[in-house]
Amino acid sequence: MKIEEVPQDLKYYKDSLIRDVNYAVDADGKYRVVISDGWEAKNDALDAAWDEVREQCEEILGRIRRGETSLLEYYAAKNLMDLQLLSSYTGFPKRKIRKHLKPEVFEQLDNDTLSVYADALRITVEELTSMPI
């Protein structure tokens, strides 16, 4: 691809410091690093992936309402964290996290434990313990 052909679709990167790095051929036939503001095909793939995450989160919210799981599962899924990743971020063993996914156990967690989860999920303890709107 030539430098002038590098896509510049601003759908996700508008007003953001994040950009894609691409390699393109300049007028002399040499590869150069070119910053891209996005690409429609990539944006479509991201849309599809985020739609799937939103659908999964809606299913989890239903299980929360039925008392089958805790808010921790919702916020972990929303942040694309599985047990292994949440364990690495929090330092809690996966076995302990599984226990915290039970609503009756989650409701009894102390503020220090909730703070560790909230920090790992980049939310406040208040958000972690409140049903999302």
Side-chain angles (χ1 to χ4, degrees):
M1 163 182 329
K2 295 181 182 178
I3 288 178
E4 58 275 2
E5 296 171 348
V6 173
Q8 302 296 333
D9 180 5
L10 289 171
K11 182 173 183 176
Y12 282 104
Y13 297 137
K14 186 174 182 170
D15 301 324
S16 172
L17 296 175
I18 300 170
R19 298 288 187 268
D20 274 344
V21 174
N22 293 274
Y23 293 90
V25 179
D26 67 12
D28 297 326
K30 296 181 181 177
Y31 280 96
R32 300 283 180 214
V33 173
V34 180
I35 304 299
S36 171
D37 287 322
W39 181 29
E40 186 177 0
K42 183 177 179 180
N43 292 342
D44 291 345
L46 285 170
D47 285 342
W50 280 114
D51 285 346
E52 192 171 316
V53 170
R54 282 188 282 276
E55 185 177 309
Q56 178 186 11
C57 287
E58 285 300 317
E59 289 173 12
I60 293 168
L61 285 173
R63 291 203 317 272
I64 291 168
R65 288 183 192 103
R66 292 188 302 273
E68 298 170 1
T69 192
S70 72
L71 286 161
L72 179 60
E73 183 177 358
Y74 170 80
Y75 286 108
K78 187 176 175 185
N79 283 280
L80 308 177
M81 289 187 170
D82 61 7
L83 280 176
Q84 180 63 47
L85 190 56
L86 191 54
S87 176
S88 354
Y89 273 73
T90 61
F92 297 143
K94 291 185 286 186
R95 174 185 47 71
K96 190 175 210 174
I97 295 171
R98 275 191 208 93
K99 188 176 179 181
H100 295 166
L101 292 175
K102 296 177 182 177
E104 60 278 4
V105 175
F106 183 77
E107 290 170 11
Q108 301 301 316
L109 293 178
D110 61 49
N111 202 51
D112 290 342
T113 303
L114 291 171
S115 291
V116 172
Y117 280 125
D119 288 345
L121 297 166
R122 296 184 180 174
I123 58 176
T124 65
V125 170
E126 292 75 28
E127 287 173 293
L128 179 60
T129 57
S130 302
M131 192 71 158
I133 298 173

